[in-house]
Amino acid sequence: MTIQRTLILLKPDAVERQLVGRILSRFEQKGLKIIDLRSLRFTQELARQHYAEHIAKPFYAGLEQYIMSGRVVAAILEGCEAVEVVRRLIGPTNGVEAPPGTIRGDFSLSTQQNLVHASDSPAAAEREINIFFPNFQPEN
Ligand code: CMP
């Protein structure tokens, strides 16, 4: 078992629906630590950087419009096997299919407006932490 860090984004629908506290508390209840946190608004440049692997996909235009539609909250979570644990807490991409008990399963009925993004691998976590927290100092 390895202590890992991962990046989450609480997307515009989570902020608009005032679910930020409830969603963050799920991660804290599990035992994960919030070790950095900020609120921001996506630019088109940031959307293209963060979602680079999706740019050629048919849903990208809608995804970009949605992620830029309101403020988001970015956080670094730390804990045992954090990357996989956080992905399991969030549930599958499509809220309709996400099982009850997962965040998307309990709060979303959408594939696009699915409340939370989380890094899908340790390499992605490192890349995404650097995007949203370029000055992050692990030892502080
Ligand atoms: P996320 O985990 O942030 O990663 C990529 C995002 O693209 C995903 O959550 C959804 O918000 C969105 N997405 C993925 N697949 C689709 C799809 N088929 N249609 C619309 N949006 C999608």
Side-chain angles (χ1 to χ4, degrees):
M1 294 289 165
T2 316
I3 302 294
Q4 294 178 333
R5 294 188 195 100
T6 192
L7 181 104
I8 59 161
L9 297 174
L10 307 190
K11 301 189 200 181
D13 52 328
V15 175
E16 179 62 31
R17 291 173 59 193
Q18 298 177 257
L19 292 171
V20 170
R22 289 172 79 177
I23 293 172
L24 287 176
S25 74
R26 297 258 185 141
F27 298 118
E28 290 196 310
Q29 278 170 4
K30 182 71 174 170
L32 295 153
K33 289 194 175 130
I34 300 167
I35 57 169
D36 213 337
L37 184 78
R38 63 180 284 224
S39 166
L40 68 139
R41 188 136 186 170
F42 266 73
T43 60
Q44 188 176 54
E45 186 186 12
L46 180 59
R48 288 182 176 168
Q49 187 183 9
H50 174 63
Y51 282 128
E53 66 185 292
H54 298 302
I55 286 179
K57 296 189 181 155
F59 60 81
Y60 181 75
L63 173 60
E64 185 182 270
Q65 193 177 25
Y66 154 64
I67 203 68
M68 291 172 63
S69 68
R71 294 192 76 79
V72 305
V73 172
I76 305 174
L77 301 181
E78 183 181 87
C80 192
E81 301 295 326
V83 172
E84 184 57 33
V85 167
V86 167
R87 296 280 292 185
R88 280 205 299 264
L89 287 173
I90 289 173
T93 304
N94 185 346
V96 171
E97 290 164 7
T102 64
I103 293 167
R104 288 167 173 165
D106 288 351
F107 295 111
S108 170
L109 278 171
S110 170
T111 298
Q112 183 177 89
Q113 295 182 228
N114 59 3
L115 300 163
V116 194
H117 165 86
S119 310
D120 64 5
S121 67
E126 191 178 339
R127 185 182 84 86
E128 293 173 2
I129 287 169
N130 279 327
I131 292 174
F132 292 94
F133 297 92
N135 300 318
F136 177 67
Q137 302 273 333
E139 59 278 5
N140 289 342

